[in-house]
């Protein structure tokens, strides 16, 4: 009894003329659209998300290639049909190299239990890596091609089909004569005689190695992405905790000296990076010194993450220690630069060190690669003239030049890192004149900065001079 899908028996065509051609056309068009998007996808081996997306596109293209191949075979009439061309196996003389299996194509075979006759399509010979001259394998011989770990699986599939009449639908691996391991998908069913007994078994097999490889690539890249995201979340949380432990927790206003009549009104904010909100290396700090003056510092580190938080803790400790010892901002900045340059990973990107003397309302500062302080007075704002730079003959530990200015009651000083632009801040000066505290002023700047779609992390410190 012939099998339903034997290689030489045509598969019934579509019920309506043109239906198969329309399916093939739509499949090819979809395949082209997906491939176009895949080619436009940026390839970045260092970006786990990009690798996962690329693997998904590759898998989708392979699956559409397989679908297109199946439709072509259905239209041509059988597993060995090549459209208007003859099967490659039929055009190859004995002893010549034969082409390998076409990706996604299907081969078929039938095993007659009454006559022991075995019939394979040419495509099945190519899939299994055997020459047609060597003949097809019997059901007893077939496991010799199968990977040792999968032989029990194939035996169970064939036994259930022959004895219990169950259809076959499963995957197993084979080891071809060229030692390559391939993954096959096998579907089949028993063919019964007039008495209801199994007379033969037919099956169709497809090489799905590329498809499974693509799926593994997607899984592996997705697992890598999940691990990377988990590590990133863990690092962000740890860095945020370290920052909270290191930096002053100024969610409202802070006052130096504490509760005194001439206390500075201070407010500061960390504006996180839109992409990596917890990894910024920006800092700010304020400290009342034993002499009655106030230390005010702000800056940026070149390192991020846990290393940045560790460097920040060391930096703030050094700043405070030297300031308490009476070192002025220019010399303090020179010593700080020397300290960080001798570390394994130099970390200082920019810094501004300053002191405020309440008795004379004098603000003195030194800066290294950092924006100058902004002065808001009577609704107008401008940047203070920065000092010239490092003193002549500067060597390790040399002092930086200092600048100073005498302030008035009600003045606002705005210290900021590069993530905030000077021009935009100065534009806000008229609106800050109506604020009643450093906190209100800082909140106004943060809100306007967020509306401007700021991308980089930044730090901000607002200082209101008491009246």
């Amino acid at each position: 009894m012939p099998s339903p899908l034997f290689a030489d028996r045509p598969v019934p065509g579509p019920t309506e003329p043109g239906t198969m051609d329309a399916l093939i056309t739509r499949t090819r068009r979809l395949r082209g659209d997906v491939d176009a998007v895949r080619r436009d996808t940026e390839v970045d081996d260092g970006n786990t998300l990009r690798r996962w997306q690329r693997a998904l596109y590759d898998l989708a293209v392979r699956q559409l290639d397989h679908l297109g191949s199946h439709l072509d075979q259905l239209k041509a009439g059988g597993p060995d049909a090549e459209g208007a061309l003859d099967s490659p196996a039929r055009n190859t003389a004995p002893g010549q190299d034969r082409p390998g299996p076409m990706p996604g194509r299907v081969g078929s075979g039938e095993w007659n239990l009454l006559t022991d006759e075995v019939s394979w399509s040419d495509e099945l010979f190519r899939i299994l890596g055997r020459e047609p001259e060597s003949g097809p394998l019997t059901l007893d011989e077939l496991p010799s091609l199968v990977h040792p770990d999968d032989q029990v699986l194939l035996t169970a599939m064939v036994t259930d089909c022959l004895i219990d009449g169950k259809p076959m639908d499963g995957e197993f691996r084979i080891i071809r004569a060229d030692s390559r391991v391939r993954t096959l998908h096998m579907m089949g069913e028993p063919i019964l005689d007039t008495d209801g007994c199994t007379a033969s078994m037919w099956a169709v097999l497809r090489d799905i190695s590329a498809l499974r490889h693509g799926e593994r690539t997607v899984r592996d890249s997705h697992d890598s992405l999940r691990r990377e995201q988990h590590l990133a979340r863990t690092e962000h949380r740890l860095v945020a905790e370290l920052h909270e432990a290191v930096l002053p927790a100024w969610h409202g206003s802070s006052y130096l000296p504490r509760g005194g009549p001439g206390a500075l009104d201070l407010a500061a904010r960390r504006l996180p990076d839109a992409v990596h909100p917890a990894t910024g290396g920006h800092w700010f700090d304020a400290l009342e010194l034993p002499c009655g003056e106030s230390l005010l510092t702000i800056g940026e580190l070149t390192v991020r993450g846990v290393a940045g938080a560790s460097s920040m803790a060391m930096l703030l400790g050094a700043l405070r220690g030297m300031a308490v010892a009476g070192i002025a901002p220019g010399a303090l900045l020179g010593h700080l630069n020397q300290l960080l340059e001798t570390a394994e990973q130099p970390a200082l990107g920019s810094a501004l060190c300053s002191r405020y003397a309440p008795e004379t309302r004098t603000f003195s500062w030194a800066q290294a690669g950092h924006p100058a302080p902004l002065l808001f007075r009577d609704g107008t704002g401008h940047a203070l003239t920065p000092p010239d730079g490092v003193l002549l003959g500067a060597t390790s530990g040399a002092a930086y030049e200092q600048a100073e200015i005498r302030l008035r009651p009600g003045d606002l000083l705005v210290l900021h890192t590069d993530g905030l632009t000077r021009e935009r801040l100065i534009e806000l000066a008229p609106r800050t004149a109506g604020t009643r505290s450093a906190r209100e002023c800082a909140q106004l700047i943060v809100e306007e900065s967020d509306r401007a779609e700021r991308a980089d992390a930044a730090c901000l410190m607002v200082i209101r001079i008491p009246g």
Side-chain angles (χ1 to χ4, degrees):
M1 179 177 295
S3 64
L5 290 180
F6 184 59
D8 297 328
R9 178 172 178 171
V11 177
T15 57
E16 297 182 11
T19 302
M20 185 58 67
D21 288 336
L23 285 173
I24 292 173
T25 299
R26 288 200 298 269
T27 301
R28 288 175 178 171
R29 183 180 297 117
L30 178 59
R31 196 268 187 204
D33 292 342
V34 174
D35 190 45
V37 176
R38 176 182 65 164
R39 290 196 301 269
D40 292 339
T41 302
E42 181 181 352
V43 179
D44 183 358
D45 292 337
N47 188 317
T48 307
L49 178 59
R50 292 289 188 187
R51 292 203 307 270
W52 174 66
Q53 291 173 340
R54 180 74 181 195
L56 278 178
Y57 283 127
D58 290 342
L59 179 59
V61 169
R62 288 194 186 100
Q63 290 174 327
L64 289 170
D65 283 339
H66 291 167
L67 176 59
S69 178
H70 299 336
L71 293 177
D72 286 339
Q73 284 185 276
L74 287 171
K75 178 183 177 182
D80 286 335
E82 298 285 344
L85 303 175
D86 291 333
S87 168
R90 297 192 183 101
N91 293 328
T92 305
Q96 292 182 342
D97 292 336
R98 300 174 63 251
M102 297 288 288
R105 294 185 63 83
V106 175
S108 67
E110 182 176 352
W111 291 263
N112 191 308
L113 303 183
L114 303 180
T115 64
D116 292 330
E117 180 184 2
V118 182
S119 300
W120 283 7
S121 69
D122 286 348
E123 186 64 27
L124 184 55
F125 278 100
R126 286 193 289 271
I127 290 174
L128 297 179
R130 289 179 59 83
E131 296 290 340
E133 294 76 17
S134 64
L137 298 178
T138 66
L139 290 177
D140 291 335
E141 297 170 332
L142 190 60
S144 64
L145 290 178
V146 180
H147 192 284
D149 293 342
D150 294 348
Q151 290 179 359
V152 174
L153 172 63
L154 177 64
T155 300
M157 288 171 54
V158 173
T159 301
D160 290 344
C161 180
L162 298 178
I163 303 301
D164 300 328
K166 296 180 179 179
M168 295 183 296
D169 187 355
E171 299 177 12
F172 57 89
R173 292 165 295 171
I174 63 168
I175 303 177
R176 291 164 47 107
D178 56 10
S179 299
R180 289 190 300 169
V181 177
R182 310 296 292 178
T183 301
L184 306 185
H185 181 216
M186 181 176 183
M187 295 182 65
E189 62 184 34
I191 301 173
L192 306 180
D193 59 19
T194 55
D195 297 326
C197 298
T198 302
S200 63
M201 185 191 80
W202 69 268
V204 292
L205 293 94
R206 178 167 65 111
D207 188 333
I208 58 170
S209 303
L211 183 63
R212 293 296 176 257
H213 175 74
E215 291 173 344
R216 286 194 299 272
T217 301
V218 170
R219 285 197 304 271
D220 292 345
S221 59
H222 183 256
D223 290 343
S224 296
L225 178 61
R226 292 183 61 183
R227 288 194 297 270
E228 185 176 280
Q229 290 175 337
H230 174 71
L231 290 174
R233 287 193 298 268
T234 301
E235 181 183 13
H236 290 172
R237 185 173 61 252
L238 176 59
V239 172
E241 292 173 354
L242 289 172
H243 283 166
E244 289 180 2
V246 172
L247 296 180
W250 290 347
H251 301 292
S253 291
S254 182
Y255 298 92
L256 294 177
R258 306 290 178 183
L264 284 177
D265 182 10
L266 306 175
R269 297 287 188 275
R270 290 189 67 252
L271 287 71
D273 188 313
V275 179
H276 302 293
T279 59
H282 300 75
W283 92 85
F284 57 83
D285 191 27
L287 176 69
E288 183 182 353
L289 301 175
C291 63
E293 298 183 359
S294 299
L295 171 71
L296 306 165
T297 65
I298 189 170
E300 181 178 0
L301 301 177
T302 59
V303 292
R304 300 291 188 267
V306 176
S310 176
S311 297
M312 188 182 299
M314 178 186 70
L315 179 146
L316 293 181
L319 281 173
R320 290 186 166 203
M322 288 186 285
V324 169
I327 298 176
L332 188 152
L333 195 56
H335 292 310
L336 179 66
N337 192 40
Q338 179 189 18
L339 173 67
L340 293 178
E341 281 187 351
T342 57
E344 291 185 7
Q345 293 183 337
L348 187 60
S350 66
L352 185 147
C353 298
S354 64
R355 292 172 73 133
Y356 175 72
E359 292 184 359
T360 60
R361 297 194 183 96
T362 300
F363 176 77
S364 58
W365 81 96
Q367 62 188 78
H370 196 279
L374 304 181
L375 174 61
F376 290 180
R377 176 180 289 170
D378 299 329
T380 62
H382 68 276
L384 298 181
T385 302
D388 292 335
V390 182
L391 289 173
L392 294 177
T395 57
S396 297
Y400 282 68
E401 289 281 10
Q402 288 185 194
E404 66 178 39
I405 185 174
R406 185 73 62 86
L407 299 174
R408 301 175 186 173
D411 282 349
L412 282 171
L413 280 175
V414 178
L415 312 183
H416 66 96
T417 56
D418 285 326
L420 297 170
T421 60
R422 178 177 64 184
E423 292 75 13
R424 179 57 180 156
L425 291 172
I426 292 176
E427 289 176 359
L428 298 176
R431 296 176 58 185
T432 62
T435 58
R436 295 169 295 179
S437 66
R439 177 183 180 182
E440 286 188 17
C441 180
Q443 187 61 33
L444 170 65
I445 294 174
V446 170
E447 291 174 355
E448 292 300 322
S449 173
D450 289 342
R451 290 194 186 99
E453 298 183 355
R454 173 192 46 80
D456 297 329
C459 261
L460 168 73
M461 180 183 291
V462 177
I463 305 156
R464 180 181 290 272
I465 306 302

